Amino acid sequence: MRLRITFEPYGDVARQPNKHAVQGFIYNLLKGSEYGERHDEPRFKFFTFSDFFTDSTGRPTLLVSSPEKGFINTLYSAIREKKSVYIGRQELEIVELKKFKLPLRRAFQTGSPIVLYRNAEKNEYFKLHQHRDLRFFLQRLKENAEKKYEAFYGEDFFLEGPIFDRLIPKLRTNGKLDVYVKVVKNGIPFPVIGSNWELLEKERIKPEERRFYRFIMDAGLGEKNSLGFGFLNPLRR
């Protein structure tokens, strides 16, 4: 399930908010609800959000997705009565709020970079441009998704074959494949490295796999989903 929030910036055009500030904005909306302790729970958070983008009128827009309907409903109820909000130091007027559910597709496009660790103990991220190992990327992506799915539904699951059959990475203007995102937490900046994709496609989704692919569509792919990474948009093909 998804929540779409469209804003009108006060003063200057809105800047791309720091992802930690957006995460804090979401957690503040959850205070006092059954999800109010989600930030401190030692578990997967089961939500993600997109990078800010502009709608057809040029207004900054944010998408939040989660496989938990109650999570999205709680955010919706918390924000629907507000006229404006702060994300970091930016004050933004809320001009439109909509919750919705998208149909499952065989193809997806990233709405924020996918992040994977090559070596988590050394805090080393997988770099597509440097490591050039799609087999590693697909296998780690699959293992991470299966683990989150099992934690959410409380049942074992194994996906036969690769998680995607066709992949088209999105090149940056400088010709690089990797995206370096500076995240600031408690005044301390640290880089997060990921990759964006024009296409992630599964040729055929079996009936018994539909719930798994719907889950990753809503929960996000890879690491650091609750920090706004791995957001997926379904595509018509």
Side-chain angles (χ1 to χ4, degrees), residues 1-236:
M1 195 169 183
R2 302 192 167 206
L3 186 67
R4 178 186 176 110
I5 315 168
T6 303
F7 303 97
E8 186 75 61
Y10 287 98
D12 296 335
V13 176
R15 303 176 301 277
Q16 182 76 18
N18 180 276
K19 282 187 171 292
H20 190 259
V22 180
Q23 184 192 60
F25 160 70
I26 291 172
Y27 282 137
N28 282 333
L29 292 172
L30 298 173
K31 286 182 178 178
S33 76
E34 62 180 297
Y35 303 99
E37 303 300 320
R38 178 62 57 92
H39 179 268
D40 298 317
E41 293 173 349
R43 50 174 281 187
F44 295 117
K45 311 307 182 186
F46 301 120
F47 77 90
T48 189
F49 54 88
S50 69
D51 290 340
F52 268 61
F53 61 95
T54 54
D55 67 2
S56 58
T57 65
R59 292 188 176 104
T61 302
L62 175 70
L63 293 171
V64 183
S65 67
S66 173
E68 295 184 83
K69 183 179 179 180
F71 183 93
I72 296 297
N73 285 337
T74 298
L75 289 179
Y76 178 84
S77 297
I79 200 172
R80 65 184 299 184
E81 302 300 328
K82 296 181 181 294
K83 294 183 178 180
S84 66
V85 295
Y86 277 91
I87 300 181
R89 296 182 179 180
Q90 292 189 80
E91 184 179 11
L92 300 167
E93 178 188 358
I94 299 167
V95 295
E96 186 178 10
L97 180 67
K98 180 182 180 181
K99 56 180 177 177
F100 59 99
K101 188 175 181 179
L102 291 174
L104 178 63
R105 306 289 185 187
R106 295 184 298 105
F108 306 90
Q109 185 179 72
T110 55
S112 64
I114 293 175
V115 173
L116 289 172
Y117 281 114
R118 183 177 176 85
N119 189 322
E121 292 182 358
K122 296 182 179 180
N123 200 35
E124 179 189 5
Y125 293 106
F126 173 78
K127 303 178 185 70
L128 187 63
H129 189 84
Q130 176 182 333
H131 299 126
R132 295 184 178 275
D133 190 347
L134 280 180
R135 181 177 297 180
F136 175 91
F137 177 81
L138 286 170
Q139 185 61 31
R140 184 61 61 87
L141 205 62
K142 176 181 172 179
E143 292 171 353
N144 179 271
E146 289 172 339
K147 186 176 180 180
K148 284 185 293 194
Y149 178 91
E150 291 175 351
F152 185 78
Y153 285 108
E155 60 185 48
D156 293 336
F157 179 81
F158 175 76
L159 179 70
E160 293 185 5
I163 189 170
F164 297 113
D165 300 309
R166 187 178 180 214
L167 303 86
I168 302 177
K170 184 176 182 180
L171 283 173
R172 300 176 63 195
T173 55
N174 60 5
K176 300 290 186 179
L177 295 168
D178 299 307
V179 179
Y180 289 70
V181 180
K182 184 175 75 171
V183 178
V184 180
K185 183 177 181 180
N186 298 325
I188 301 174
F190 61 93
V192 177
I193 304 168
S195 55
N196 275 315
W197 296 82
E198 295 283 359
L199 180 68
L200 298 165
E201 184 174 21
K202 184 71 173 176
E203 290 182 357
R204 179 176 178 267
I205 298 177
K206 300 175 184 177
E208 62 270 24
E209 297 170 346
R210 291 182 61 83
R211 188 166 72 164
F212 172 77
Y213 280 94
R214 178 170 291 284
F215 172 80
I216 65 173
M217 182 177 75
D218 289 334
L221 277 176
E223 314 276 357
K224 300 186 181 297
N225 299 140
S226 68
L227 199 53
F229 291 98
F231 187 93
L232 292 181
N233 287 310
L235 295 175
R236 291 189 180 187

